[in-house]
């Protein structure tokens, strides 16, 4: 598997530094929320990329539906 870089916002990075290096536990919830938000964005990006690069129409449709489900798009608003 190819290693990829992930960018974090400065605020999340600063909270991580303060939590780990200064041992300030007050940043725990901020870090948890920031990492969950980042993970959701990464998953959404991966699903969208799979949809756009699927080799067959069947795989493309499956990936499209997964992406729309993950994003929470209601069925009546889908194309």
């Amino acid at each position: 598997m190819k290693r990829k870089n992930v960018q974090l916002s400065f605020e999340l990075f600063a909270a991580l530094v303060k939590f780990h290096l200064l041992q300030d536990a007050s940043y725990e919830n901020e870090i948890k929320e920031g990492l969950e938000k980042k993970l959701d964005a990464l998953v959404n990006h991966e699903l969208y990329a799979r949809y756009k690069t699927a080799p067959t129409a069947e795989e493309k449709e499956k990936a499209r539906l997964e992406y729309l489900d993950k994003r929470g798009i209601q069925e009546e608003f889908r194309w």
Side-chain angles (χ1 to χ4, degrees), residues 53-77:
T53 60
T56 67
E58 182 179 294
E59 290 177 39
K60 187 172 188 167
E61 180 63 15
K62 182 180 177 195
R64 183 182 76 85
L65 293 175
E66 272 186 81
Y67 173 74
L68 293 173
D69 287 341
K70 175 71 174 137
R71 292 292 311 261
I73 307 295
Q74 296 177 2
E75 295 213 14
E76 56 266 11
F77 291 107

Side-chain angles (χ1 to χ4, degrees), residues 4 40-51 53 63 67:
K4 297 179 181 181
D40 285 343
L42 289 170
V43 169
N44 285 338
H45 177 74
E46 182 64 31
L47 288 172
Y48 183 76
R50 194 176 339 147
Y51 156 64
T53 60
Y67 173 74

Side-chain angles (χ1 to χ4, degrees), residues 14-29:
L16 284 164
V17 168
K18 290 173 186 174
F19 180 79
H20 287 286
L21 297 181
L22 301 178
Q23 298 179 350
D24 187 349
S26 66
Y27 290 94
E28 188 174 354
N29 287 335

